[in-house]
Amino acid sequence: MTLSAAPISPTIVTGDDVYAPQEDSHLLIEQMNALPGGVVDKTVLDFCTGSGVVAIAAAGSGAAAVTAVDLCPNAARCAADNAAAAGLDVDVLVGSFPEALAAGPYDVVVCNPPYVPAPAIEDQVTPLTGPTQAWDASVDGRLVLDPLCAAAPDLLTANGTLLVVQSEYSGTAQTVDALRRVGMDAEVIAEQRVEFGPVMKSRATWMHEKGLMDEGCHEETLVVILATKR
Ligand SMILES: C[S@@+](CC[C@H](N)C(=O)[O-])C[C@H]1O[C@@H](n2cnc3c(N)ncnc32)[C@H](O)[C@@H]1O
């Protein structure tokens, strides 16, 4: 593996049940590396690490220490294997907010959470299959985004930075407002228009029926929100 000073996408291997890095992963890495001074000498938390792609990019970009957290043991194992294969030091934890908080606080928190709106179980015509917890995030897409915003000040050191990527369909303004409500400065710093992937394609009819999306939509805007602890 070749690492440049600010690698965008390290070589990553994933199994069937671990989220393979996609546009949202790369957009988050790009914005992390574009922070003033990048993550050099910073402590970094990659919350919802999946394959570890963002954590590994942080470790390869000179972070002082990188912690990666994922609820899914297979994802955590995958992230640890990918970090080891890259020869980079990442402390991978299986867990969620309690584990991330216990190992913190951090100078930089990066997160690509599950954010796709999903039918409530009772509304599902066909039960969802596969590693759906990587993307399904309840009817409003905010299953992880809301607790992340609430926990952000406790996860961060003074003047620490949160970078979170999400879809326009999971409430960009809600995230910005939620972060401001907990006393942080927050703004959208990047946007990228992308074609729907397989999950959004399969969800489009339901989202249209729920009034969450115009009929015939086939693209979404991904946003990266930056929030700073005052
Ligand atoms: C969209 S994937 C992102 C993976 C990777 N960070 C990337 O950018 O490619 C979301 C990941 O969050 C994990 N996850 C879902 N809910 C979580 C929670 N409450 N706490 C920690 N991890 C969670 C899933 O297991 C999945 O690996």
Side-chain angles (χ1 to χ4, degrees), residues 17-22 24-26 28-29 46-55 69-73 75-76 95-97 110-115 131-136 143-144 147 165:
D17 55 353
V18 177
Y19 188 84
Q22 296 180 29
D24 48 6
S25 325
H26 300 304
L28 182 60
I29 292 170
D46 177 20
F47 190 70
C48 296
T49 197
S51 63
V53 64
V54 187
V69 175
D70 202 290
L71 205 53
C72 167
S96 189
F97 290 101
V110 284
C111 184
N112 178 8
Y115 53 70
T132 58
Q133 75 176 5
W135 50 78
D136 282 346
L143 184 68
V144 177
V165 63

Side-chain angles (χ1 to χ4, degrees), residues 54-155:
V54 187
I56 291 165
S61 296
V66 181
T67 304
V69 175
D70 202 290
L71 205 53
C72 167
N74 288 348
R77 200 172 309 116
C78 175
D81 288 348
N82 281 321
L88 292 166
D89 199 9
V90 175
D91 188 17
V92 183
L93 307 175
V94 177
S96 189
F97 290 101
E99 291 74 14
L101 285 161
Y106 314 88
D107 301 321
V108 177
V109 174
V110 284
C111 184
N112 178 8
Y115 53 70
V116 179
I121 299 294
E122 61 271 20
D123 292 347
Q124 288 173 22
V125 178
T126 313
L128 297 168
T129 56
T132 58
Q133 75 176 5
W135 50 78
D136 282 346
S138 77
V139 174
D140 61 2
R142 302 197 57 83
L143 184 68
V144 177
L145 283 164
D146 281 335
L148 176 68
C149 293
D154 294 329
L155 287 168

Side-chain angles (χ1 to χ4, degrees), residues 156 158-162 183-187 226-230:
L156 289 165
N159 301 312
T161 302
L162 167 71
M184 297 184 66
D185 294 324
E187 61 177 330
L226 176 144
T228 309
K229 184 171 169 175
R230 288 191 206 126

Side-chain angles (χ1 to χ4, degrees), residues 6 10 30 43 60 116 134 141 149 180 201 209 228:
E30 222 174 74
T43 55
V116 179
C149 293
R180 289 179 180 163
K201 277 185 190 154
E209 284 166 7
T228 309

